[in-house]
Structures are given as C-alpha cells and as structure tokens.
Amino acid sequence: MDIGKIIGTVVATRKDSSLLGSRLLVVQPVDAHGASVGSPLVAVDTQGAAGYGEMVYMVTGGDAVGVLPGRRMPVDVAVVGLVDSITVTEEGDG
Amino acid sequence: MYIAKVIGKVVSIVKHPAYENRTLLLVQPLSLKSKLVRTPTIAVDYVGAGEGDVVLVGAGPGVAQEVFGVENAPIRELVMGIIDRFDVSDVEAEAP
C-alpha cells in the first residue's frame, strides 16, 4: 500500500451515488519520511478519521473498488489506514 | 510478485478491518543487484518476516482474498515468502 499525506479535501455535490457519504481527500504520495513522490491524487476515505497533514496508506487499482462492504465504488484509490509511526531501519540510496 | 527488503515497521491503529492483528512492514523493492530501488510501501505480513529480511511480495489485486480467505481485503502488497537467496545469470543486462 502506498504511503501518502493528506493535503486537502474535495467537495463534489454531484457525484456517483455510491460515493455519497464518503469523504474525498487530496493525498500527496510520500516516502517513508514524508518527502513528496509524484503528483497528488484524490482518494476516497474509508476510515473517516484522517485529517489535514496526517500520514495514511492507500490501495490503488482494482482493490479500491470493493473497500467498503456492501457497495462498489468507481474509485481506484482508497485510504485504508492511518499511520501512527514508521520506524525505518535501513535507508535506500535510490 | 517482486523481491523486496523489509526496511522498517509501521504502527497503525485506525485501519481497515482486513488488517486487524496483522503486522505491517515497510518494504522497498530490491534490484537484482540487491540495491534498494523505487519508493518504500507498506505490505501486510503473512509469514513472520522481520526487519532486514529479503522477502517475496505479492501485489496482485484480490490475492489476499483468494489465497488467505480474507473477505473484502484491500491488500495491495502482502509478504508471502522469505527469500534465502536468488541467483541471476546475467545481471549486467538487468535494468537499474
């Protein structure tokens, strides 16, 4: 699961009905230290507790569609958890 | 699947139920010259891997669901094996 940092939210009143009630977050993919990697994207929030600046992890692609039980959402990025801490014991120079 | 190294551990309390009582490992892909490449991601451990282990990471959609019977499992990367060693004949030809 890719690590990301929440940098904003998206308000979309007209959207697919399966997305009603779930928050749309603007997430910046980051590395384990929080440095930005690539460009921001919009993810559906399935845990409902993520706030601005928090580190989260996301599933992308087909796994995101069925994240919430009982409904299938037309999404390809979904936040599935909040990061409390990451301990890095080895650094890649890449 | 790809070869990766466990380079850290992740603590996460608020998370999707499919991750309950599973260890979350920070893994980074390993090139065939055993150098850490690309960006670290979070993988769910299924084999008791620890920091420093070279592991086999499965990344197919629905892998956890079929194989490990975890219903409705949004698990993109899961650690399905600990690699003892890998031999590659022509490493020079390999991409960086």
Side-chain angles (χ1 to χ4, degrees):
Chain A
M1 286 59 74
D2 300 329
I3 309 166
K5 190 175 271 189
I6 302 210
I7 59 171
T9 54
V10 170
V11 177
T13 42
R14 282 181 61 82
K15 59 193 173 188
D16 184 75
S17 57
S18 66
L19 290 172
L20 290 178
S22 43
R23 276 192 332 158
L24 296 174
L25 302 169
V26 181
V27 182
Q28 167 61 54
V30 294
D31 68 12
H33 300 291
S36 297
V37 174
S39 44
L41 37 88
V42 177
V44 63
D45 177 15
T46 68
Q47 298 307 308
Y52 184 79
E54 290 217 40
M55 240 174 157
V56 293
Y57 46 105
M58 312 169 276
V59 284
T60 54
D63 288 308
V65 173
V67 172
L68 290 175
R71 68 171 134 150
R72 297 184 64 71
M73 297 182 289
V75 296
D76 59 1
V77 185
V79 169
V80 284
L82 270 66
V83 172
D84 293 300
S85 71
I86 294 184
T87 47
V88 182
T89 49
E90 188 172 337
E91 283 305 327
D93 40 26
Chain B
M1 280 98 71
Y2 60 88
I3 299 171
K5 187 164 197 180
V6 179
I7 63 165
K9 271 217 164 97
V10 178
V11 173
S12 168
I13 295 157
V14 174
K15 57 196 173 189
H16 190 278
Y19 298 76
E20 279 319 318
N21 45 56
R22 289 280 170 198
T23 305
L24 294 179
L25 298 172
L26 189 68
V27 297
Q28 186 162 1
L30 211 55
S31 77
L32 294 181
K33 293 177 184 158
S34 295
K35 267 169 46 64
L36 290 171
V37 290
R38 301 203 293 278
T39 310
T41 55
I42 296 176
V44 178
D45 178 37
Y46 274 87
V47 290
E51 277 150 321
D53 282 344
V54 176
V55 291
L56 185 61
V57 179
V63 166
Q65 212 150 312
E66 267 90 38
V67 174
F68 300 99
V70 179
E71 216 278 322
N72 182 11
I75 296 177
R76 189 88 186 125
E77 270 110 351
L78 96 176
V79 176
M80 58 170 68
I82 300 175
I83 297 174
D84 300 309
R85 60 172 238 265
F86 55 91
D87 305 307
V88 178
S89 58
D90 191 353
V91 178
E92 279 60 40
E94 171 251 333

